[in-house]
Amino acid sequence: MHIKDKEWWKETVIYQVYPRSFKDSNGDGIGDLPGLISKLDYIQSLGVGLVWLNPIYASPNDDNGYDISNYEAISPTFGTIADFNALLAGLHSRGIKLIMDLVVNHTSDEHAWFIESRKSRDNPYRDYYHWWPAEKGKPPHRYSFFDKKGDAWQYDPATDSYYLHYFSNKQPDLNWENPKVRKEVYQMMKFWLDKGIDGFRLDAISYISKDTTWPVVSKKELAEKYKNDFSYFYSKGPKLHEYLHEMNREVLQHYPNAVTISETPGIEKEEALQFVHVDRQELHMLYHFKGMELGYSKEGFKRPDPNGYSLPAFKKLYTEWNDVFAKEGWGTIYLGNHDQPRMLSRWGNDAPEFRVPSSKLLITFLLTMRATPIFYNGDELGMANIKFEDIQDYRDIETLYMYHFLQAQNEDLEQFIKDQQFGARDNSRTPFQWDATACAGFTTCDPWIKVNTDHAFINKEAQDADGNSPLNYFRHLVQLRKDHLELIYGDYKMYDAEHKQIYTYTRTLEKTATLIILNFSNDLVPYTIPKELHKKQFQLISNNETSLQQEEHELTLLPWQALIFKLK
Ligand code: NOJ
C-alpha cells in the first residue's frame, strides 16, 4: 500500500505529562522526575509513542513553569539533570520519544537576561525585551491574559519605563526583533536536541512577532477584526513566519528526526498550512484553539453557554479542520490539556451513570480521527473536573488574576466561581489518581493542589483490574489504531451532518474502510446507518458497551455508545 508522506509522528499517539501532578517521589507534595521515571512502565503499557512533558526548567513558578529563569537547568523541585538523562534513556529504551516545552515568547522576570535588561536603558540586554520609555506617555493598550488590570504594560521605576508582558508581569515578552535573542533561542534548542530529545511543543509561538510600531488597537477594530480577543491580534505579527522559517533553517533542518508541535492561539484554519506545509520549511504540526471556544457563552469569563454546545457545530468544526490537512500538512487533535478543564467534564458527562461510556466515546473519537491524537494524563482513566467551590483552593494564576480583575469591576464573584467549576485550568491539574489511598498514591503528604475525592473509585489500580475500564479500552483502541492504517492515513468523510446526537464518519484508505458511529448523548438513540453504506458488509470491531441492538442497518445506540465497524 503506498502512502504519501508517511511519517512516524503521524502514526504515533501523544501522551502529555504534567510533571507537577503526575507522581511525587520525595514526599514534598509536588510531582517530580524520579516519580515520573517510576511510572514509565505504566506509560509504556498505554501504547503511546511520544511524551510531551510540560516545563521542568528552573523557574520561580509564577505560571507553573511557563516562566523560565534558566533554559538549560532543571528546576530543583523536579530533580536534576541526571534525573532528566535517566528519564530520556528510560523512555527511549521503551521505544517512546520525548518532546519538551519550548517557552520563548517570554521568560521569567528572574531570568538573567531580564535582570540585566531592567537595570539601565543602555544595558547590553536592554533590547532582549520590549520597553517603552515613560516620557512618551502611556503605551498603546495591550491586553494581558494574567493581570489584575488586564494591562500588558508594566511600569518599572528603575528605568522609568514600561515593559511588555502578554502573560503575567513575571513573564516579560522577549524581543524577537533582536537577532541576538533569536540566536540565543536557537542555541538553547540545539542544547536540548543534542542531548537527544525528539523535538518541542512550542508555547504561544503564534505571538512571538510584534508590530513594534505599536499601533493603537481601537475597541472598534478589536471587535470587528479580532473578535474582541487580543489573541487574534497577537497572532498576526508581521514577521512570525520569517522567524519560524529561520528557526527551521538554523536548527530544525539539522535534526531531521525531530518533531515540532506549535501551540497556535488566535490562528484560523485558513492560516494553518502556513505553519506546517512541507514546502514552507517551518514546523510539523500545530494545535488550534477553535474547538476549545465551543460551548462558552459570550458573557463572562469561561462561562458555560446555558444551551451547551451543539453537536452539529462540533462536527462541522472538526470536519473543516480535517479538510485543512486533507491533502497537505498534518494536524493534531485533542479535547483537553493542562490549559483546559477535563475532557470528560467538558465534552462527555461525568455523572456516575455516564462517566465510563462517555470517557470511552471521547477516547474513540480522538483515536479514529485523521490527525495525531494528544491525550492529557488522566484522561485515559476518565478523570473529572474537581469543581472547587472556594477561591482558596485555586492555585492557577489565570483564575486568581481574573478573580481580582472582576472584583475590581464589582462583578458577580459567586458566578465566576461557578463558571470556574466548568472552565478552570486547575480542574485538569489535580494529582494523577494512581490508587484509592488518601493522596491517591500521588504523594505521602499534602499535595500542592487538592486530590479529587473521586479517586476512591476513579484510579489506575482499580481500572487495571477491570477489563471494561476506560483505561483498558484506551489501550485496546491505541492498538486498534496501529493495526488499522486507514484510521491513521485514511480519508475522512462525515455523514448525517445535522444529526444532533450521532457523529458518524468513515475512514477510507484505498479499498479498506472503517465506519465510526458515536452517540454523543445521554439518550438511547435509534439510528439508521447511512444508505450509501448499505451495500457493504459490516464487521463490528469495537464497541464500548456490551449490548447493542442491531437489525440490518437499524441500530439502537446506548447513551454514549461508540461503535467501530470494518466495512467490506
Ligand atoms: C500556554 C501554556 O500552555 C499555558 O499554560 C501558559 O500559561 C501560557 N502559554 C503562557 O506561557
Side-chain angles (χ1 to χ4, degrees):
M1 188 175 295
H2 173 73
I3 294 166
K4 194 178 153 248
D5 304 329
K6 226 169 157 313
E7 298 284 358
W8 69 265
W9 40 268
K10 297 180 180 174
E11 299 178 13
T12 199
V13 174
I14 301 176
Y15 187 66
Q16 183 192 346
V17 174
Y18 199 64
R20 250 184 117 63
S21 301
F22 199 60
K23 174 69 188 164
D24 175 22
S25 74
N26 59 1
D28 65 357
I30 303 174
D32 49 42
L33 295 185
L36 167 53
I37 292 169
S38 72
K39 296 297 182 186
L40 291 184
D41 287 342
Y42 169 69
I43 295 179
Q44 185 179 26
S45 82
L46 299 174
V48 300
L50 176 62
V51 163
W52 154 22
L53 186 62
N54 286 99
I56 52 164
Y57 315 93
S59 163
N61 214 37
D62 191 51
D63 185 18
N64 286 5
Y66 283 96
D67 47 318
I68 297 171
S69 52
N70 184 345
Y71 286 107
E72 294 181 3
I74 304 290
S75 161
T77 322
F78 290 127
T80 62
I81 200 80
D83 295 327
F84 176 79
N85 293 338
L87 169 69
L88 185 60
L91 282 167
H92 282 172
S93 70
R94 289 169 176 80
I96 302 170
K97 296 181 189 273
L98 175 71
I99 58 173
M100 308 260 291
D101 237 293
L102 183 77
V103 188
V104 289
N105 173 67
H106 46 270
T107 67
S108 161
D109 65 338
E110 297 182 34
H111 192 289
W113 301 336
F114 191 75
I115 293 174
E116 284 301 311
S117 185
R118 79 194 313 180
K119 279 185 181 161
S120 65
R121 289 190 180 188
D122 56 6
N123 187 284
Y125 287 88
R126 187 66 169 180
D127 288 345
Y128 271 47
Y129 297 86
H130 295 285
W131 290 97
W132 177 277
E135 63 273 16
K136 279 171 68 181
K138 279 213 84 179
H141 175 66
R142 293 293 180 268
Y143 177 74
S144 164
F145 300 106
F146 307 147
D147 186 81
K148 286 183 188 166
K149 294 197 181 119
D151 184 355
W153 289 105
Q154 171 75 36
Y155 179 70
D156 202 38
T159 57
D160 190 28
S161 306
Y162 296 86
Y163 65 85
L164 185 72
H165 63 92
Y166 283 176
F167 297 93
S168 88
N169 63 5
K170 286 189 65 63
Q171 296 169 291
D173 283 44
L174 280 167
N175 176 11
W176 276 68
E177 295 274 303
N178 182 347
K180 284 193 207 146
V181 166
R182 305 204 301 274
K183 212 169 152 207
E184 301 256 23
V185 169
Y186 303 151
Q187 259 168 16
M188 176 271 283
M189 292 174 75
K190 286 184 193 156
F191 168 85
W192 288 105
L193 288 166
D194 289 340
K195 277 186 141 311
I197 69 161
D198 303 288
F200 294 102
R201 172 261 185 191
L202 292 87
D203 184 71
I205 200 72
S206 45
Y207 294 168
I208 56 175
S209 166
K210 275 90 183 169
D211 181 345
T212 49
T213 64
W214 307 114
V216 170
V217 185
S218 67
K219 282 207 169 127
K220 185 165 176 277
E221 196 184 1
L222 190 66
E224 286 171 5
K225 266 175 91 177
Y226 305 114
K227 307 178 190 195
N228 269 328
D229 180 346
F230 263 95
S231 259
Y232 290 96
F233 171 71
Y234 290 163
S235 61
K236 306 286 173 287
K239 295 192 186 154
L240 170 61
H241 291 286
E242 190 183 312
Y243 297 152
L244 294 179
H245 184 65
E246 183 183 79
M247 180 190 281
N248 184 297
R249 197 183 62 226
E250 296 297 318
V251 184
L252 299 172
Q253 64 163 253
H254 305 291
Y255 300 84
N257 294 322
V259 69
T260 46
I261 303 175
S262 44
E263 187 204 28
T264 54
I267 294 299
E268 304 280 0
K269 55 184 187 302
E270 292 73 18
E271 300 162 295
L273 282 179
Q274 293 174 29
F275 292 79
V276 297
H277 194 293
V278 203
D279 295 348
R280 291 181 57 91
Q281 298 182 320
E282 292 187 17
L283 305 169
H284 299 90
M285 297 185 273
L286 60 76
Y287 71 88
H288 64 84
F289 279 64
K290 306 305 283 187
M292 297 302 115
E293 290 170 9
L294 286 178
Y296 284 122
S297 143
K298 293 213 162 42
E299 307 298 314
F301 176 71
K302 289 192 171 177
R303 176 164 307 161
D305 182 333
N307 303 314
Y309 73 95
S310 83
L311 187 66
F314 181 91
K315 297 194 280 190
K316 182 168 180 281
L317 189 143
Y318 283 98
T319 300
E320 286 174 358
W321 275 91
N322 171 79
D323 296 349
V324 169
F325 305 113
K327 300 217 159 46
E328 307 288 349
W330 191 257
T332 62
I333 191 159
Y334 69 104
L335 289 173
N337 60 35
H338 67 295
D339 290 332
Q340 305 297 334
R342 281 285 170 189
M343 78 170 182
L344 168 68
S345 304
R346 178 89 193 272
W347 307 106
N349 187 335
D350 59 15
E353 65 275 36
F354 299 124
R355 183 178 61 77
V356 171
S358 69
S359 297
K360 293 181 187 173
L361 175 135
L362 299 175
I363 289 169
T364 314
F365 171 64
L366 293 173
L367 285 166
T368 55
M369 288 293 281
R370 189 176 177 280
T372 300
I374 311 178
F375 281 89
Y376 181 66
N377 56 197
D379 282 346
E380 74 276 23
L381 306 178
M383 280 179 61
N385 278 7
I386 192 158
K387 304 177 187 167
F388 287 133
E389 286 170 4
D390 189 339
I391 189 69
Q392 306 294 338
D393 287 329
Y394 283 93
R395 299 287 174 267
D396 179 17
I397 54 172
E398 178 180 271
T399 301
L400 300 176
Y401 278 130
M402 192 47 75
Y403 186 86
H404 291 296
F405 179 75
L406 298 174
Q407 196 170 37
Q409 299 179 21
N410 283 325
E411 294 277 349
D412 180 350
L413 293 173
E414 254 175 58
Q415 178 65 46
F416 172 69
I417 294 289
K418 261 197 209 134
D419 296 345
Q420 286 290 285
Q421 292 176 350
F422 178 79
R425 308 198 296 183
D426 276 343
N427 282 307
S428 63
R429 297 178 177 187
T430 61
F432 191 94
Q433 296 168 194
W434 294 103
D435 58 39
T437 60
C439 276
F442 164 70
T443 182
T444 48
C445 75
D446 277 354
W448 70 275
I449 187 169
K450 280 188 180 163
V451 174
N452 196 324
T453 50
D454 66 12
H455 74 275
F457 52 96
I458 304 176
N459 65 66
K460 182 254 171 198
E461 197 177 74
Q463 295 203 14
D464 246 344
D466 171 3
N468 290 321
S469 64
L471 173 58
N472 281 317
Y473 182 79
F474 178 84
R475 292 172 171 143
H476 156 67
L477 262 241
V478 169
Q479 191 57 45
L480 193 90
R481 183 175 172 91
K482 286 185 193 159
D483 294 343
H484 293 81
L485 218 51
E486 73 276 15
L487 289 179
I488 298 168
Y489 290 108
D491 292 339
Y492 159 97
K493 182 172 177 195
M494 176 183 48
Y495 296 83
D496 295 331
E498 295 309 320
H499 201 297
K500 291 193 173 60
Q501 290 157 305
I502 306 286
Y503 193 166
T504 305
Y505 49 97
T506 49
R507 301 291 315 281
T508 309
L509 188 64
E510 297 182 351
K511 293 210 168 80
T512 314
T514 296
L515 167 68
I516 296 99
I517 305 177
L518 307 173
N519 178 7
F520 271 82
S521 84
N522 298 340
D523 306 321
L524 266 184
V525 181
Y527 180 67
T528 309
I529 288 177
K531 263 227 174 70
E532 67 173 274
L533 299 172
H534 288 192
K535 16 185 199 327
K536 303 271 185 190
Q537 275 180 16
F538 288 76
Q539 184 199 347
L540 185 66
I541 53 172
S542 180
N543 175 4
N544 82 345
E545 291 296 279
T546 42
S547 89
L548 157 77
Q549 298 171 36
Q550 187 184 352
E551 221 174 282
E552 293 263 283
H553 303 108
E554 305 297 324
L555 312 176
T556 302
L557 281 111
L558 299 170
W560 298 100
Q561 188 162 24
L563 297 168
I564 308 179
F565 295 96
K566 191 100 185 168
L567 301 184
K568 293 202 170 149

